[in-house]
Amino acid sequence: MALEHAILVSLLERPGSGYELARRFDRSIGYFWAATHQQIYRVLKRMESDGLIGARTVVQQDRPDKKEYSVGPLGRTALSRWLHEPIEPESVRHELAVKIRGAAFDDPAALIQEVERHREAHADRLAHYLAGELRDFTGPEAPAPLEAGQELQHVVLRGGIAYERMTLAWLDDVIATLQRLGPERRRRP
Amino acid sequence: MALEHAILVSLLERPGSGYELARRFDRSIGYFWAATHQQIYRVLKRMESDGLIGARTVVQQDRPDKKEYSVGPLGRTALSRWLHEPIEPESVRHELAVKIRGAAFDDPAALIQEVERHREAHADRLAHYLAGELRDFTGPEAPAPLEAGQELQHVVLRGGIAYERMTLAWLDDVIATLQRLGPERRRRP
DNA sequence: TCCTTCTATGCAACGAGTTGCATAGACAAG
DNA sequence: CTTGTCTATGCAACTCGTTGCATAGAAGGA
């Protein structure tokens, strides 16, 4: 179960509550491992009862109290063990690609709008990543000699940036292809 | 449920049995939508009882009989409806990226082997895609004017090729980064 | 001859992920 | 003054995906 390990990594980078983790999974760590708050709360509860993490209640003014989790020795060991186990190369799940192949049995041109919507979403993500890179790693505000953890966060972010750039170029290719095939070349077997 | 739609697309491209579909999901269509045979059999059964697809038993010599499925009018309508619905841009699940960030709390150098293993797997996939592209789309054996369905299969395959190339370059970046951080820069908070 | 691989289909149990809903106080905008 | 958003946590039901196992005949290699 990789969510467990993603949570361990995130809590080692900085302790936090379920709610805070959920927001991190909407940003930073969620760029390559998505999770909803329900999933996170459920797994946190199990991890606490397994002794991987510990919780302390933080009383707050003007907002509800929270339970701040941090990683215990058992959690550290569990993460270490997982890091030394081999994992399978990812199997991709790309719904849009299914749609593109399916468009052969419908109207290819009708898919252009949808692909453009995706293109915009990826352009936004790329802009977001680039802003984060400048803020945390390459800009004047960033700490000059990065420590190991930051170097590793940076290389992961570079992966996200490369992915978004590649995807944008590909979506342009898709749009051009869909435009070349008009509704007139629609296949009706 | 996108597996259902992936199956509809695959069966429209060519009717086939559950077993044949499972093999297609190990190749071609599985490059962007993975599925095991158990999943496929279960969904085929439901799709048949929902009337989306029809089955006929094909008696075979020297091997077990098979049930060949093909898409009915209801299935075609269902696919069409889905094609016109918007979908969310994919949320990524990249386990290796979690490991890379986690390496900050262990030995970064110990991860190099694992990353190299992934690199090889991606290099193999790229070679496989390129061979398929040559065979089906760009080589001398390929049909000269491609029809719409083939153009669309080709653009999806180009996406796979771009993805693998990008991933290879990124994994090289990751390996170089892990090498720069030795075990001596291990972080022990 | 035995062992493995290929074709072909399927059940059962479990683990992971999604969707909808509920609570509850603070604050801001209309 | 009501509606909506933000912080904060959680249950219940459901769907989806994974793992292990089972059957069974044919073909091919050790």
Side-chain angles (χ1 to χ4, degrees), chain A residues 1-2 5-6 9 12-13 28-35 39 76 79-108 110-111 114 117-118 121-122 125 146-153 155-160 162-164 166 170 173-174 177-178 180-181 185-189, chain B residues 1-2 5-6 9 12-13 28-35 39 76 79-108 110-111 114 117-118 121-122 125 146-153 155-160 162-164 166 170 173-174 177-178 180-181 185-189:
Chain A
M1 225 253 301
H5 302 116
V9 171
L12 279 168
E13 286 174 356
S28 165
I29 206 149
Y31 295 156
F32 49 88
W33 199 273
Q39 248 181 296
R76 235 161 196 289
L79 180 68
S80 233
R81 204 185 314 118
W82 176 69
L83 285 171
H84 289 270
E85 275 167 18
I87 50 172
E88 288 301 302
E90 325 287 323
S91 54
V92 183
R93 290 268 160 100
H94 206 313
E95 212 172 350
L96 190 61
V98 179
K99 276 203 171 188
I100 291 164
R101 263 172 87 151
F105 307 97
D106 201 83
D107 178 6
L111 203 60
E114 168 89 336
R117 236 175 25 87
H118 282 247
H122 284 281
R125 264 193 227 170
L146 296 174
E147 38 177 304
Q150 292 171 314
E151 291 276 15
L152 291 168
Q153 287 184 30
V155 79
V156 168
L157 182 57
R158 286 201 297 274
Y163 177 77
E164 296 304 332
M166 180 280 297
W170 177 61
D173 185 7
V174 171
T177 304
L178 290 171
R180 257 189 295 121
L181 316 165
R185 293 192 56 190
R186 188 167 175 178
R187 184 169 153 197
R188 284 208 164 279
Chain B
M1 223 254 302
H5 301 116
V9 171
L12 281 167
E13 287 174 354
S28 167
I29 206 149
Y31 294 157
F32 48 88
W33 199 273
Q39 248 182 298
R76 236 162 196 291
L79 181 67
S80 234
R81 203 183 317 117
W82 176 69
L83 285 172
H84 290 269
E85 275 166 18
I87 50 172
E88 289 301 301
E90 326 287 325
S91 55
V92 184
R93 289 268 161 100
H94 207 315
E95 211 172 350
L96 189 62
V98 178
K99 276 203 171 188
I100 292 164
R101 261 171 87 152
F105 306 97
D106 201 83
D107 179 6
L111 203 59
E114 169 88 336
R117 236 173 28 86
H118 283 247
H122 284 281
R125 265 193 226 169
L146 296 176
E147 37 176 307
Q150 292 171 313
E151 291 274 15
L152 291 168
Q153 286 183 32
V155 78
V156 168
L157 182 58
R158 286 202 295 275
Y163 175 77
E164 297 304 332
M166 180 280 296
W170 177 61
D173 184 7
V174 171
T177 304
L178 289 172
R180 256 189 296 120
L181 316 166
R185 292 192 56 189
R186 187 168 177 175
R187 185 170 152 197
R188 283 207 165 277

Side-chain angles (χ1 to χ4, degrees), chain B residues 54-79:
Chain B
R56 66 185 188 96
T57 301
V58 177
V59 180
Q60 295 186 119
Q61 235 97 49
D62 296 350
R63 57 178 65 178
D65 297 353
K66 65 177 180 181
K67 275 166 78 179
E68 194 181 76
Y69 292 95
S70 51
V71 179
L74 277 179
R76 236 162 196 291
T77 316
L79 181 67

